[in-house]
Amino acid sequence: MNYLSTRGHPDRRRFCEILLEGLAPDGGLYLSESYPQVDDATLTRWRGLPYADLAFEVLSLYIDDIPADDLHALCRKTYTEAVFGTAAIVPLKKLEDGLYLEALSNGPTLAFKDMAMQLLGNLFEYELARRGEELNILGATSGDTGSAAEYAMRGKQGVRVFMTSPHGRMSPFQQAQMFSLQDANIHNIAIEGVFDDCQDIVKAVSNDLEFKRRYKIGTVNSINWARLMAQVVYYFAGYFQATTSNTQKVSFTVPSGNFGNVCAGHVARMMGLPIAQLVVATNENDVLDEFFRTGVYRVRGSADTHETSSPSMDISKASNFERFVFDLLGRDANRVRDLFGAQLTGQGRFDLHTDPAFAQAAARYGFVSGKSTHANRLDTIRDTFARFGVMVDTHTADGLKVAREHLQAGTPMVVLETALPIKFAATIVEALGREPDRPAKFDGIEALPKRVQVMPSDVARVQAYIAAHCP
Ligand SMILES: *Cc1c(COP(=O)(O)O)cnc(C)c1O
């Protein structure tokens, strides 16, 4: 399998070449040249597989530059009951007839990002050892991404993590999760500023090409193709659990921010998985809902980007969206380059509502959308707890609220549970008047010693810190 850029760069790359990279050289996103097709016989064969073996089957279709035995071993090392809590890895919970939750948040940091990041940690370690290289991952986080990256990379050979976060602005639980890690290769940098300051620092360091090359700076953000591909697997696993025959269709609702998670659903659907609808659920930051309703994609400024009770979906633009638009426009790289390059840079928006392709988003690709407000999420948390005794977090509540608006008789609806309530305890207390349940392994985590360096928002200080911690 070869990979191309959504903006038409002539080069084609192999999987391990793009594994450690971010954007393509022309600013586009990498995508496979084609989507391998999964037929009925293959679905039947995959139906009974343990999760790790299913992951190997899916990944093998996209990775041909890692020997099969090695890839299989990496999958089995990643997706274990010890790490993800159950043998099913992503068990389906039935709420009522036709409505299910797929549990994606039982990994080490209790959010779905572990599903991909745990594999990425093992792939990075494998590939870096094979090349005899090292990598310093520099990131910015407001919570979920940073902790998932740290728990995936801790103790890994050849990798160091330098994770910036806004000082004092993450939830106490999220701070405890990250700052209690004592591994020598994990560095927490709390920046005296907001999340945007952290992101600006990462950008500035990445644009310092001499520094970047010298200190082998890399990233693990959600545009990474390996992360997206790892997420394709649980759409198959969810489908198999919700059906008994390949003639049945299933819909998925996905709490969305950067469009990474639901883009993996799109890839699964393009491979032939019988998915009816892909329901994109946003919060008050409704960039994506607006597009699927109106055909207008409009990037928000920071004044228009709201801080919500589902903070992992608080985005001003959806960084993976370009991959879907590339497919929607018949893989016309010239148009994608114009839309995401010239038009977004110049006008901050583009409009496809008169384009015949826009009508295909729903008809041909199954995409529909909806959004929730804080009040909707509180209601959904209360209602779900009262009726089913199930406590959901604010992101999953967003998904459930929107899912109910798109139910179709006879088609099971699977809502992806993207985090556990304990990560967003304040809103649970607001909704239910009680603290969320806490998995036993996190008892007393806030009292553990913390390893974190507090720093002013200053690029040179961060660079000096990285230099001092790279032998
Ligand atoms: C990251 C995240 C999301 C959004 O996922 P995208 O891939 O950015 O669309 C939703 N919920 C939770 C809990 C997250 O951590």
Side-chain angles (χ1 to χ4, degrees), residues 105 110-113 143-145 222 227 231 234 254-263 281 288 310-315 318-320 393-396 416-420 423-424:
S105 43
L110 309 182
F112 89 97
K113 292 187 173 67
D144 288 347
T145 306
S222 77
R227 272 183 70 179
Q231 294 170 180
Y234 55 69
V254 188
S256 295
N258 274 316
F259 203 77
N261 197 351
V262 76
C263 194
L288 291 167
S310 44
S312 300
M313 293 157 54
D314 293 351
I315 48 105
S319 52
N320 275 286
D393 92 291
T394 50
H395 304 75
T396 310
L416 300 187
E417 177 200 73
T418 55
L420 289 196
K423 293 201 91 166
F424 306 96

Side-chain angles (χ1 to χ4, degrees), residues 138-172:
L138 175 64
T141 190
S142 53
D144 288 347
T145 306
S147 57
E150 292 187 354
Y151 280 75
M153 303 297 168
R154 61 187 296 202
K156 293 276 186 293
Q157 295 297 315
V159 192
R160 282 180 212 90
V161 177
F162 296 90
M163 190 57 65
T164 62
S165 60
H167 182 45
R169 287 178 188 259
M170 290 189 297
S171 78

